[in-house]
Amino acid sequence: MRVRSNARRRREQGLTLVELIVVIAIIGILIGAGFMGLLAWLKSDNEALARNRLRADLQVAMSYALQQPATSTTNGNWSLQLVKTPTTQTLYVCSGSTGGCAGNVNPANGPVEVRVSTIPLNVNVTINGVAMTCLGFTPLAQPILAATPTTAANACVWPAADANGEWVFTFQAGSAAANGTQVQYVF
């Protein structure tokens, strides 16, 4: 009879401190694992978002270069410019190959901003290992290369193509040392 009363008393007391600590530790481990998974997903999502916006803006700039040659800017070409500030990272499609169009809507002041896209601030964009700044297009929607003799001194130019004649855009959230994930787009 005494054994039965101890069992009933044990049920009425609830959890011991050790049991409570074990349960809290297990819950903490599960939450931590979920949080790390969430961070990894956010990094890959930001990289994919940046890639998709850059790809769309490249297509827009090339389309404009073919359809509407710019008239009031140097070289009469179109460009895609990446502008980084401490709080934002913005892609501009510009009506000229010299860049510097951010916020300009008056053709008399140089290249005009025709499209704006923001990309996550923590994503670094490189082309064949070179940080992206400004890419210009000819009226035939071809990349303006630095080696072209008719290119203006302040024109937006592309870095050298790789051995396959391609430009590999790499999007990486954070630093290379922090994680090994990255997304690429081959042009």
Side-chain angles (χ1 to χ4, degrees):
M1 193 73 150
R2 188 142 174 88
V3 171
R4 209 179 260 180
S5 69
N6 283 341
R8 189 171 58 191
R9 189 179 311 138
R10 167 79 173 101
R11 274 182 274 159
E12 292 172 0
Q13 289 177 346
L15 294 174
T16 66
L17 182 59
V18 171
E19 291 170 332
L20 182 62
I21 290 172
V22 168
V23 168
I24 290 174
I26 290 172
I27 290 172
I29 290 169
L30 292 175
I31 289 174
F35 184 70
M36 296 307 288
L38 176 65
L39 288 179
W41 175 78
L42 285 174
K43 284 181 185 178
S44 66
D45 188 54
N46 283 344
E47 292 164 348
L49 176 69
R51 179 198 58 210
N52 294 339
R53 288 190 177 164
L54 180 99
R55 186 173 42 196
D57 286 349
L58 274 170
Q59 292 170 350
V60 167
M62 291 170 59
S63 174
Y64 275 122
L66 288 170
Q67 296 173 7
Q68 308 169 17
T71 56
S72 63
T73 60
T74 306
N75 292 354
N77 302 313
W78 291 80
S79 64
L80 179 65
Q81 181 179 10
L82 178 65
V83 176
K84 284 185 175 186
T85 67
T87 58
T88 62
Q89 187 166 225
T90 310
L91 285 168
Y92 295 96
V93 174
C94 307
S95 67
S97 67
T98 56
C101 69
N104 182 30
V105 293
N106 182 356
N109 295 333
V112 174
E113 164 191 307
V114 295
R115 179 180 167 106
V116 179
S117 300
T118 58
I119 61 174
L121 185 61
N122 69 328
V123 176
N124 298 313
V125 182
T126 60
I127 308 166
N128 294 350
V130 177
M132 181 183 162
T133 54
C134 189
L135 308 174
F137 294 92
T138 69
L140 296 177
Q142 297 298 312
I144 296 176
L145 304 175
T148 306
T150 59
T151 303
N154 60 347
C156 297
V157 295
W158 288 61
D162 67 9
N164 297 323
E166 300 172 331
W167 289 276
V168 179
F169 291 84
T170 303
F171 306 87
Q172 185 161 13
S175 66
N179 64 19
T181 67
Q182 61 186 18
V183 175
Q184 294 185 330
Y185 170 63
V186 178
F187 179 81

